[in-house]
Amino acid sequence: MSLLVVGSVAFDAIETPFGKTDKIVGGAASYISLAASYFTQSTNLVAVVGDDFPNEFIQHLNKHGVDTTGLQIKEGEKSFFWSGKYHTDMNSRDTLVTELNVLGDFDPIVPDAYQNCEYLMLGNLTPMVQKTVIERLSKRPRLIVMDTMNFWMEVALDDLKETLKLVDVLTINDEEARQLSGEYSLVKAAAKIQAMGPKYLIIKKGENGALLFHEKEVFFAPALPLEEVFDPTGAGDTFAGGFIGYLAKTGDISFENMKNAIIYGSAMASFCVERFGTERIIDLKQTELDHRIQAFKNLVRFNIGANMANGN
Ligand code: AMP
């Protein structure tokens, strides 16, 4: 049931209405693999950093059971750097800086030991790199989940469409779903995007939860109303890590089980936003996760019986 995670491992500098960080560790694959590690102990990472990246964080990943043999460390080069500033409502942000550095010519080498993975999570990266990873696997994984962003729709739409044909699940936010499909209605958008390849589509709506579409079916998971939202960076990646980690743990990739996976993903994301960067998800206790899952259940549980629905 091994899981292969590919994506950025990076430095971020973040500004929210609650504070500002200097360079801290971030990157989509950092969040994904940490989140997945709470569900499966066989996560393998393919990524690239420069020699400026802290070994301490790599050791943290290893302590979480993440195998980093596939993490390339480029001597004399700098790690990917991203900086963003959130608006007052924290639902939107501006990218201030993107320095690709080592990510500019990233060749995703898949170690032999990572072949035969059953689950593949492609974090946000150039669509061509995502496609290359799929092509380099000698056997198609049971489930391929992919994340992307509006930037690739603007600069690499054709490549993105080619890659989409190869994946099972796509995770994007509501704005991106509208941009990719040209439809305002998310139901119409979901139908168009499913026709592009992914049989399952997850549309993330930040503090308004997430929708899972498959053929004519749709499932909604709320986001937990939180007292403190400190930094939304990585919430989408943490969600994806919890989602695929749970599927890998249970080995059940049915639509019904994906509903549970979405709740676990949402629970993981709810922790992520409570502190800057990966701080909150680096050392979670199982009891904290259990309590949060219970909070989700309580949030949506009500007692309208079948007879009341009939007006009795
Ligand atoms: P999210 O908040 O889920 O969109 O993810 C934020 C993470 O994505 C940050 O930690 C960044 O380092 C990373 N990131 C931002 N832009 C890119 C990009 N163009 N390619 C790869 N990773 C990126």
Side-chain angles (χ1 to χ4, degrees):
M1 54 153 199
S2 77
L3 164 66
L4 174 57
V5 175
V6 187
S8 53
V9 171
F11 285 124
D12 292 343
I14 304 158
E15 192 174 335
T16 80
F18 301 105
K20 209 175 154 163
T21 66
D22 289 327
K23 278 189 176 183
I24 57 170
V25 167
S30 305
Y31 289 102
I32 294 167
S33 29
L34 279 175
S37 75
Y38 290 94
F39 302 94
T40 168
Q41 282 298 295
S42 53
T43 301
N44 297 325
L45 176 66
V46 165
V48 63
V49 290
D51 63 7
D52 54 353
F53 196 76
N55 194 37
E56 195 194 343
F57 186 77
I58 301 173
Q59 284 169 357
H60 268 305
L61 290 176
N62 298 150
K63 262 194 239 149
H64 275 256
V66 179
D67 185 301
T68 52
T69 315
L71 175 67
Q72 302 168 37
I73 303 173
K74 298 272 180 184
E75 289 302 319
E77 293 187 47
K78 284 164 78 179
S79 303
F80 174 71
F81 173 63
W82 175 83
S83 169
K85 181 177 175 178
Y86 287 85
H87 301 163
T88 326
D89 68 358
M90 297 236 265
N91 277 333
S92 54
R93 70 184 177 204
D94 294 324
T95 290
L96 304 178
V97 183
T98 301
E99 288 174 14
L100 288 178
N101 300 323
V102 286
L103 218 51
D105 57 358
F106 176 37
D107 181 21
I109 297 163
V110 180
D112 287 346
Y114 291 6
Q115 292 289 348
N116 295 321
C117 65
E118 283 187 86
Y119 302 88
L120 171 62
M121 178 68 227
L122 297 165
N124 174 31
L125 276 178
T126 322
M128 262 307 128
V129 172
Q130 294 175 313
K131 186 165 174 254
T132 302
V133 174
I134 300 173
E135 287 166 352
R136 284 184 178 171
L137 294 176
S138 47
K139 194 172 124 245
R140 193 187 193 280
R142 269 187 91 201
L143 191 77
I144 304 179
V145 182
M146 169 180 154
D147 185 34
T148 190
M149 71 190 294
N150 49 359
F151 179 70
W152 305 118
M153 296 169 199
E154 282 144 32
V155 306
L157 185 61
D158 290 344
D159 291 349
L160 177 61
K161 286 189 172 166
E162 279 304 303
T163 311
L164 281 178
K165 287 181 192 161
L166 307 175
V167 309
D168 302 302
V169 186
L170 176 68
T171 69
I172 46 175
N173 70 31
D174 42 1
E175 257 179 61
E176 291 159 349
R178 290 183 170 122
Q179 184 170 343
L180 183 60
S181 63
E183 293 286 352
Y184 183 80
S185 150
L186 292 180
V187 176
K188 285 186 183 166
K192 275 201 176 171
I193 295 169
Q194 285 181 78
M196 294 177 190
K199 295 178 288 296
Y200 300 87
L201 175 69
I202 296 173
I203 300 183
K204 299 168 287 180
K205 291 157 66 75
E207 64 177 353
N208 297 316
L211 292 160
L212 167 67
F213 290 91
H214 173 57
E215 295 173 351
K216 294 275 169 225
E217 295 194 88
V218 57
F219 174 71
F220 171 69
L224 203 63
L226 294 171
E227 216 167 294
E228 306 240 40
V229 176
F230 210 71
D231 169 22
T233 308
D237 307 312
T238 305
F239 171 93
F243 174 78
I244 198 155
Y246 181 78
L247 292 178
K249 174 185 172 169
T250 54
D252 175 354
I253 56 171
S254 66
F255 181 74
E256 278 312 299
N257 199 47
M258 280 190 193
K259 294 180 183 177
N260 298 336
I262 282 206
I263 299 292
Y264 275 93
S266 303
M268 290 306 300
S270 76
F271 288 114
C272 175
V273 301
E274 288 182 334
R275 302 265 192 290
F276 271 122
T278 56
E279 209 181 309
R280 184 70 173 99
I281 59 163
I282 207 141
D283 200 13
L284 267 184
K285 309 268 171 301
Q286 184 61 45
T287 47
E288 292 179 295
L289 181 55
D290 294 345
H291 284 137
R292 212 145 269 196
I293 293 295
Q294 190 56 48
F296 267 92
K297 284 170 107 172
N298 295 343
L299 182 67
V300 291
R301 189 174 50 205
F302 49 84
N303 285 323
I304 301 175
N307 54 347
M308 288 190 70
N310 292 332
N312 298 317

